[in-house]
Structures are given as C-alpha cells and as structure tokens.
C-alpha cells in the first residue's frame, strides 16, 4: 500500500512538471509566432514548397494564425486542467506533426530554420527536432495520465466561458498583428537600427571560413582522392602531371563566423544599376514605400500613401521611394494607374518581406537609420508626421 502511494505521488509530481513545462512552452511558442504570423506564414510556404502543396500558399497567413492560436489555447487549457482528454489528444497530434516536420527538415536539409520561435530565437532543424522529442516525451506522460489531471474548477459554465474567451484572445492576437504590425520587432529593419552598419562586417570580426576541396584523379593508377585547396598548394600537387582535377571544386564551411544581419539587400533601378547606398544613406528624411508584391498589394492604401508623399514633397521636398520585387512593367503600370510620385526601385522579395510586415508598408529613414515604420493601417496623416518629425528637422 505504501509503495503504491509513493508511486502515485511520484507520478503526480511528474505529471505536474510535464503540464507546467509543456503548457508554458506552448504558450510562449504560440505568442512568439502570433507576434509575427506573416513571418510564420512565409516559413509555412517553405514547407508547402517542399511537399508540393503550393495551393496552400494563399492561405499561409490564415493557417499561421490558427496554428499560433491553437498552441496558446492548448497550453493555457492544459495549465487550467480544462477538457483534459481533448487537450491531451490535441497536444499529442500537434507534437507528432511538428516532430515529423522538424525531422524531415533536419534529415533532408530542406528548410534551414523551423520557425518554432519565430525570428526571436532561431533554431537549427536538429535543435528543433531535439526540442520536439523532449516535448513528445512530456506530452506522452500527460496523455497516458490525462485522467489524473485536476481542473482548477469543475463548474461547466465557468469552463465554457473561459474557453470561449481564450479562443477569442488566442486568435485575436494573430489577427491584430497581421492587420497592424508585430508588438515586438525582431527583424534587422526595426525602428532605431542603422541599416548600413548591419550590412557590413564589424571591424575585427571574421566572417564564415570556407574550404575548397578538389577531387583528384591519378592518370596511371586510377586512384581518386579529395584534398583541400591548402593541401593542393602546400604539397605542390599541382606540379605532378599525373594528378588531374576532375569535376567541379566543392566549397565546404569549416568555421562559422560573424553573421551579417542584412547580407542580401541590393536596390537597383530598372536598368540594374546599384542604388542601395544612395537610397538607404540619404542624409535627409526619406520615405520608403515597400510593396514587395504589387499583384497582391492594397491599392487603396497605395493611393493614401501617395497623397501623403505628395504633401511631404510639396512642403519639404522629401524624397520618396517605392521598393518592389515585381517586374519593371508591372511597377510602371501600377505607377501610371495610381499616378505615384515615388521613384521606383527594385529588390529581392526576401529582404523586402523583412523590412515591414505589410504590403504596402512604410519606413521613414534618415542617414541610414529607421526612424519609424508603419503598416498601411496605422500610417499617420501628413499633419501628424509633420509635427512629429518634419517640422523639427527643417526648423
């Protein structure tokens, strides 16, 4: 009897730990991703590409909001002990799905980062897989002991009202950040950042170090071997005419160095001329309109932004730039239709998506620093911008 009691007590302690750890981690993971569901949606599109389910791309943000909300909801209900059987099944199915995805990503090297914690805590696929294995073990403890979970209250009315409120809250966070901007910006283009500094390697820092490997074939013996570029030169193999290089040299990362936060920003005009430094290092106020995909941008929002740009240009001769990843023909057609005042420049979609989670979105820059940024739903009118920024700078 005493042994059974002690075993039950240990089981209750283990179950309690599993509930608290899993519940808090699910809530944290859901909140981090709900802070930026558009970014999580981009990550989902990578998985859709891997599995050939491209038809889901148009629903990636909706799916992201639902997944984030589900994590928050399940984690909170687990801590409260509500609907224990349903929650236990939900957690098990979700973690099995996540574990499969992270293993597939790690083993086949198809997605470099799982996006489990958004851009706040980047994890490699193998790190994500190990994290999911730990969670799977804890959730199995919860699943097989679900009948022992005690809710904070057994009143059905309270449980129902609380659950409905949690559903609204967990989904509402993601819906809000999609239509405005993330509460916390973890991206390199956040307010206050100096973009040129983030595009260069700091003084004294070392970048990634690579090794070039050659495949050599011996003409007489037929032997093949691989050597590094350093070995090839140091051992003077190049002098021996019996050895010949076959195939293409391989580049292998041997040591990770300092990672440049913005390694891929290149702004060009319609002719391909590089205007990156000229645009981002403008010493005066510079309005950057980011509409990375003009096929799906909010045209009414572009009209409103254009009206603001015209007021700024008339009052202070402030330069405005439209950045897009579309073709020149698409951009010029939209510009002509809307009579846009902004100069049009082009960049890859990847950095443009990171600049602002809106299509279109607006950045106010000066001397390479992001002074402020807005979703088109939160963009202030000209009078507010004038009072807050322009009039103070031009006094």
């Amino acid at each position: 009897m005493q042994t059974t009691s002690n075993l039950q007590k240990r089981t209750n302690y283990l179950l309690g730990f599993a509930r608290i750890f899993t519940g808090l981690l699910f809530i944290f993971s859901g909140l981090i991703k709900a802070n930026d569901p558009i970014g999580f949606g981009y990550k989902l599109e990578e998985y859709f590409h891997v599995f050939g389910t491209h038809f889901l791309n148009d629903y990636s943000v909706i799916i992201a909001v639902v997944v984030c909300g589900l994590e928050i909801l399940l984690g909170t209900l687990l801590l409260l002990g509500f609907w224990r059987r349903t929650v236990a099944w939900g957690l098990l199915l979700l973690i099995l799905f996540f574990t499969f995805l992270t293993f597939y990503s790690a083993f086949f090297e198809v997605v470099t980062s799982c996006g489990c914690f958004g851009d706040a805590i980047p994890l490699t696929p193998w790190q994500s897989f190990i994290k999911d294995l730990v969670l799977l073990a804890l959730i199995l403890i919860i699943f097989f002991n679900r009948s022992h979970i005690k809710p904070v209250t057994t009143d059905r009315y309270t449980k129902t009202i609380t659950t409905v409120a949690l559903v609204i809250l967990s989904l509402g966070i993601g819906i809000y950040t999609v239509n405005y901007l993330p509460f916390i910006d973890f991206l390199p283009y956040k307010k206050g950042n100096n973009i040129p500094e983030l595009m260069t390697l700091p003084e004294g820092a070392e970048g990634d170090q690579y090794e070039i490997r050659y495949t050599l074939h011996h003409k007489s013996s037929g032997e093949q071997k691989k050597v590094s570029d350093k070995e090839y030169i140091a051992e003077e193999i190049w002098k021996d005419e019996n050895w010949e290089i076959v195939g293409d040299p391989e580049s292998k990362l041997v040591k990770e160095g300092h990672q440049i936060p913005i390694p891929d920003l290149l702004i060009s005009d319609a002719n391909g001329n590089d205007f990156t430094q000229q645009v981002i290092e403008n010493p005066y106020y510079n309005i950057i309109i980011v509409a990375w995909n003009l096929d799906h941008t909010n045209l009414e929002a572009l009209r409103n932004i254009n009206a603001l740009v015209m007021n700024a240009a008339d009052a202070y001769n402030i330069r405005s730039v439209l950045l897009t990843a579309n073709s020149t023909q698409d951009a010029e057609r939209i510009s002509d239709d809307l009579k846009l005042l902004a100069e049009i420049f082009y960049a890859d979609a990847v950095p443009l998506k990171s600049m602002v989670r809106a299509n279109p979105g607006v950045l106010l820059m000066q001397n390479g620093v992001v002074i402020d940024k807005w979703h088109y739903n939160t963009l202030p009118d000209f009078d507010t911008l004038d009072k807050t920024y322009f009039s103070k700078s031009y006094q």
Side-chain angles (χ1 to χ4, degrees), residues 366-380:
Q366 185 180 32
N367 280 323
V369 176
V370 179
I371 304 300
D372 213 333
K373 62 196 296 187
W374 301 274
H375 190 285
Y376 61 82
N377 284 329
T378 62
L379 182 65

Side-chain angles (χ1 to χ4, degrees), residues 11 33 36-37 73-75 90 150-151 218 252 281-282 286 323 360:
T11 301
K33 292 198 288 288
D36 183 15
L73 180 64
L74 289 175
K150 296 180 180 180
H218 198 277
K252 181 182 179 182
E281 294 185 2
N282 188 340
N286 197 15
L323 296 182

Side-chain angles (χ1 to χ4, degrees), residues 213-270:
R213 298 189 67 82
Y214 301 111
T215 300
L216 302 179
H217 175 260
H218 198 277
K219 296 176 183 178
S220 301
S221 66
E223 178 190 355
Q224 279 198 354
K225 66 178 181 179
K226 289 188 176 184
V227 298
S228 69
D229 53 344
K230 294 180 180 178
E231 292 172 328
Y232 187 73
I233 295 173
E235 298 175 13
E236 298 185 341
I237 300 176
W238 55 276
K239 290 183 178 180
D240 189 342
E241 294 182 357
N242 287 315
W243 289 104
E244 62 177 353
I245 299 175
V246 295
D248 296 324
E250 299 175 3
S251 179
K252 181 182 179 182
L253 178 67
V254 293
K255 182 180 179 182
E256 286 193 5
H258 179 86
Q259 301 301 308
I260 299 174
I262 304 178
D264 52 359
L265 179 61
L266 175 64
I267 299 172
S268 61
D269 64 4

Side-chain angles (χ1 to χ4, degrees), residues 11-12 20 60 68 88 104 108 117-118 126 165 226 229 241 257 271 284 294 300 323 327 353 358 388:
T11 301
N12 288 339
I20 293 172
S60 60
C68 298
Y104 193 94
F108 294 102
F117 300 117
W126 282 117
K226 289 188 176 184
D229 53 344
E241 294 182 357
N271 297 317
Y284 306 103
L294 289 171
E300 186 58 34
L323 296 182
S327 67
K353 290 177 182 179
T388 308

Side-chain angles (χ1 to χ4, degrees), residues 199-213:
M199 294 174 62
T200 56
L201 197 65
E203 186 177 351
E206 293 185 353
D208 291 342
Q209 296 181 19
Y210 290 87
E211 179 182 80
I212 305 299
R213 298 189 67 82

